[in-house]
Amino acid sequence: MEIVVYPRPTGEVYVCGEFAEKEVPDDPEHISGDPEFIGMLERVAKKVSSHLGKEEAELKAEQACILPCTDDGLPVIGEIPGIKGCYVATGHCCWGILNAPTTGAAMAELVIHGHSNIVDLKQFSPAIFVKLGKAQIRLLRS
C-alpha cells in the first residue's frame, strides 16, 4: 500500500493512497471510497502533521477514482496489432500527468512517421496483450 501526502501552496494538504483492484463500473456514480481506508488516511494525515489533527483542519472532500494501471506498472503505448491506424496510450496510473507530454510527443511521432525517435516504444507495445478465446493473458515484458 502506498500513501502519498501532497502539501499545496494554498495551505491545503491532499492525502491519497492506492487501495484495491476493482472492475470499472458501468456507471461512474458507483465509484466510491472505502470508509475504512479513508479513515486510515485520516489517521496517517494526523500522524504526518500535528496541524492536520487539530480542529481547525477542515476535511474538504473524500473521493475515490479509477486509475488505469497495468500489472507491471508500465504504460501501454502504440498501435494495436491487427487494427491499422488504431493507437492506444494508457496505463500510466498516477504518473499520467507527469508522463503525458512525452507520451503525447512519442504518439505524434508514431502516428506521423510510424516510429518514435524520442522514446523506444517496444517495451510499451500493445502487442504484449494476446487474446485467447474470452481470456486475455498478459505476457511478461522482457
Side-chain angles (χ1 to χ4, degrees):
M1 179 184 325
E2 295 179 15
I3 297 173
V4 182
V5 179
Y6 296 100
R8 295 187 171 157
T10 61
E12 292 180 343
V13 177
Y14 182 80
V15 181
C16 63
E18 188 176 323
F19 180 64
E21 291 184 21
K22 292 185 177 184
E23 291 294 319
V24 178
D26 291 334
D27 184 348
E29 291 290 323
H30 294 128
I31 298 171
S32 62
D34 179 281
E36 195 173 303
F37 184 71
I38 291 173
M40 190 269 303
L41 288 177
E42 290 175 7
R43 290 189 299 278
V44 167
K46 290 174 184 178
K47 287 185 179 192
V48 168
S49 170
S50 60
H51 293 286
L52 297 176
K54 295 186 178 184
E55 291 182 14
E56 70 262 12
E58 175 190 352
L59 179 62
K60 291 209 171 185
E62 294 177 359
Q63 300 170 292
C65 66
I66 303 291
L67 289 173
C69 300
T70 60
D71 291 341
D72 60 9
L74 294 175
V76 180
I77 306 169
E79 187 170 22
I80 297 177
I83 308 175
K84 185 74 176 148
C86 184
Y87 299 87
V88 64
T90 188
H92 291 77
C93 204
C94 60
W95 299 106
I97 292 173
L98 180 66
N99 291 324
T102 302
T103 298
M107 286 295 289
E109 285 185 332
L110 181 62
V111 170
I112 293 169
H113 304 295
H115 65 279
S116 172
N117 289 321
I118 62 168
V119 177
D120 181 0
L121 295 175
K122 287 182 195 122
Q123 67 178 329
F124 307 116
S125 174
I128 63 172
F129 291 95
V130 177
K131 190 162 187 159
L132 296 175
K134 293 183 179 181
Q136 286 204 352
I137 296 177
R138 179 71 181 245
L139 300 178
L140 296 175
R141 298 179 199 244
S142 55

